[in-house]
């Protein structure tokens, strides 16, 4: 289905209904959609629904930007992960919020009309949205002193919008959990348990990241400019996991001397730069081995190890098993 609207835009309309409490009685309901318009473009979507959770993964192909229309009746709490592409949300023709590739945020919608402009200029857009019922979300996270208190207040007062005006980076651990959801081959009630566990894992990772951002805002003894530079250093490391810059190179990139960089990074993020790089490498290695089915030697090379033996030793220290054991125990 597709209707051309305006120069350089295609407008696709999607409509599906969910129970008010998102309750689904069968163990796991899975639906797959393949939509293709009369204009160049295609959307492939897989959805899982169970209890108070609905998972929707979509991959959108188009040689032009896509504008999606969505009307929310009732309430909707969503965990939004933009893996690739760029999405711009317009709510009731007023608020604009852009989420680009490798970013995530949380959204609450209540009785509003939305336009979502999806840019696919750099390849297909990949979007994972996890819908949670309000009651489910509150049972898990509504507690005094929680760093999401302002978002809870928004939900309580039926004020649509995003949890944070700035988005958060999708870290390797999130990427691994998302890919395990996408490639889940388990059946019956086992699939439902597995998928809910992965949703909870993503929620934990999101919450930890939000708390870390709040911690950044409240840290004493560091100037705001220093905080910005240390946050940028962390982003640079995350983008260059296989070939991270040296401490000296990183200090030059952010304009901070090496001793202040090392001391500040440990103070803010609770881990050394070397420790964080190792953590990211191991998380990516696990993803390559278990999801992408790469060989041990190829995985070692892709995460930046020249010697597979050195990689195996590092992997064993981190996960308490050698990489070959993970591959042998891999479940399809």
């Amino acid at each position: 289905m597709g209707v051309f609207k305006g120069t350089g835009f295609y407008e696709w309309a999607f409509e599906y209904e969910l129970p008010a409490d998102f309750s689904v009685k069968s163990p796991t309901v899975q639906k797959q959609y393949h939509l293709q318009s009369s204009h160049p473009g295609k959307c492939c979507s897989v959805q899982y629904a169970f209890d108070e959770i609905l998972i929707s993964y979509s991959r959108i192909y188009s040689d032009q930007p896509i504008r999606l229309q969505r009307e929310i009746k009732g309430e909707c709490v969503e965990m939004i992960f933009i893996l690739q592409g760029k999405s711009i949300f317009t709510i009731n023709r007023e608020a604009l919020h852009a989420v680009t590739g490798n970013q995530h945020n949380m959204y609450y919608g209540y009785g509003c009309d939305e336009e979502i402009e999806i840019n696919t200029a750099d390849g297909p857009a990949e979007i994972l949205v996890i819908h949670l019922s309000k009651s489910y979300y509150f049972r898990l996270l509504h507690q005094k002193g929680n760093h999401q208190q302002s978002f809870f207040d928004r939900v309580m007062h039926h004020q649509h919008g995003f949890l944070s005006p700035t988005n958060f980076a999708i870290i390797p651990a999130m990427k691994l959990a998302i890919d395990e959801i996408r490639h889940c081959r388990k059946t019956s009630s086992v699939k439902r348990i597995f998928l809910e566990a992965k949703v909870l894992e993503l929620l934990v990772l999101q919450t930890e990241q939000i708390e870390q951002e709040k911690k950044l805002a409240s840290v004493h003894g560091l100037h705001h400019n220093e905080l910005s530079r240390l946050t940028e250093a962390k982003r640079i490391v995350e983008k260059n996991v296989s070939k991270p810059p040296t401490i000296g190179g990183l200090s030059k990139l952010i304009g901070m001397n090496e001793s202040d960089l090392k001391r500040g990074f440990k103070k803010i993020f609770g881990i050394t730069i070397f420790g964080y790089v190792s953590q990211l490498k191991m998380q990516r290695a696990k993803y390559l081995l278990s999801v992408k089915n790469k060989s041990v030697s190829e995985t070692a090379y892709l995460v930046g190890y020249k010697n597979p033996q050195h990689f195996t030793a590092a992997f064993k220290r981190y996960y308490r098993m050698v990489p070959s054991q993970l591959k042998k125990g891999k479940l399809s």
Side-chain angles (χ1 to χ4, degrees), residues 175-322:
K175 176 67 174 171
L176 176 60
I178 290 169
D179 279 312
E180 287 177 327
I181 289 173
R182 287 178 53 203
H183 299 285
C184 179
R185 297 293 182 268
K186 301 183 186 300
T187 58
S188 189
S189 60
V190 175
K191 174 177 279 190
R192 177 208 167 286
I193 295 170
F194 179 83
L195 291 172
E196 183 168 9
K198 291 302 163 183
V199 168
L200 291 174
E201 182 179 345
L202 285 170
L203 190 58
V204 167
L205 292 168
Q206 267 196 329
T207 303
E208 285 179 338
Q209 199 170 33
I210 290 164
E211 289 180 347
Q212 188 179 76
E213 293 290 332
K214 294 292 183 180
K215 180 182 177 182
L216 284 176
S218 61
V219 167
H220 298 287
L222 287 175
H223 190 273
H224 175 72
N225 186 44
E226 291 178 287
L227 289 176
S228 298
R229 291 180 182 183
L230 290 168
T231 303
E232 179 60 22
K234 182 171 178 283
R235 291 193 182 113
I236 291 171
V237 168
E238 290 169 347
K239 289 180 180 179
N240 301 276
V241 176
S242 60
K243 294 183 179 179
T246 63
I247 299 295
L250 188 59
S251 68
K252 290 179 181 178
L253 287 172
I254 65 169
M256 179 181 286
N257 69 58
E258 292 185 33
S259 60
D260 287 344
L261 168 60
K262 290 188 288 187
R263 184 177 63 252
F265 196 97
K266 176 68 181 296
K267 181 177 182 179
I268 296 298
F269 303 113
I271 190 172
T272 64
I273 297 173
F274 176 78
Y276 189 55
V277 170
S278 298
Q279 182 184 87
L280 294 176
K281 283 178 180 287
M282 293 303 103
Q283 290 173 348
R284 176 162 172 74
K286 184 179 179 183
Y287 161 71
L288 292 170
L289 290 164
S290 62
V291 177
K292 293 298 185 180
N293 201 30
K294 300 291 185 182
S295 67
V296 174
S297 58
E298 187 177 6
T299 298
Y301 172 77
L302 290 172
V303 297
Y305 283 85
K306 295 180 180 178
N307 189 318
Q309 285 74 31
H310 293 168
F311 163 70
T312 296
F315 191 93
K316 185 177 181 180
R317 283 195 302 271
Y318 193 85
Y319 286 114
R320 307 291 184 184
M321 68 171 71
V322 295

Side-chain angles (χ1 to χ4, degrees), residues 59 98 141 163 174 191 200 230 254 314 325:
R59 192 174 176 90
L141 289 173
L163 183 148
M174 291 177 180
K191 174 177 279 190
L200 291 174
L230 290 168
I254 65 169
Q325 285 178 295

Side-chain angles (χ1 to χ4, degrees), residues 113-140:
D113 295 325
E114 298 176 356
E115 285 188 356
I116 307 173
E117 177 188 324
I118 300 176
N119 193 311
T120 57
D122 298 324
E126 289 186 72
I127 303 170
L128 175 73
V129 178
I130 299 174
H131 308 257
L132 307 175
S133 74
K134 186 172 109 174
S135 59
Y136 184 85
Y137 176 68
F138 269 55
R139 283 200 306 273
L140 290 173

Side-chain angles (χ1 to χ4, degrees), residues 70 78-80 82 87-91 95-99 104-109 114 116 150-151 154 159-168:
R70 185 171 75 159
E78 298 176 331
M79 301 163 64
I80 299 174
I82 306 297
S87 297
I88 301 175
F89 293 76
T90 303
I91 307 167
L96 286 175
H97 187 97
V99 187
H104 68 92
N105 210 323
M106 187 166 280
Y107 174 74
Y108 169 70
E114 298 176 356
I116 307 173
S150 60
F151 187 64
R154 180 188 294 277
Q159 298 173 346
H160 55 258
F162 285 82
L163 183 148
S164 172
T166 57
N167 303 311
F168 306 93

Side-chain angles (χ1 to χ4, degrees), residues 52-87:
E52 299 173 275
I53 299 171
L54 183 137
I55 302 169
S56 177
Y57 169 78
S58 299
R59 192 174 176 90
I60 300 173
Y61 304 80
S62 176
D63 59 357
Q64 296 291 336
I66 298 295
R67 182 181 287 134
L68 302 180
Q69 301 281 355
R70 185 171 75 159
E71 179 182 359
I72 295 179
K73 297 178 181 178
E75 300 181 277
C76 180
V77 179
E78 298 176 331
M79 301 163 64
I80 299 174
F81 298 86
I82 306 297
L83 302 165
Q84 189 172 324
K86 180 179 180 180
S87 297

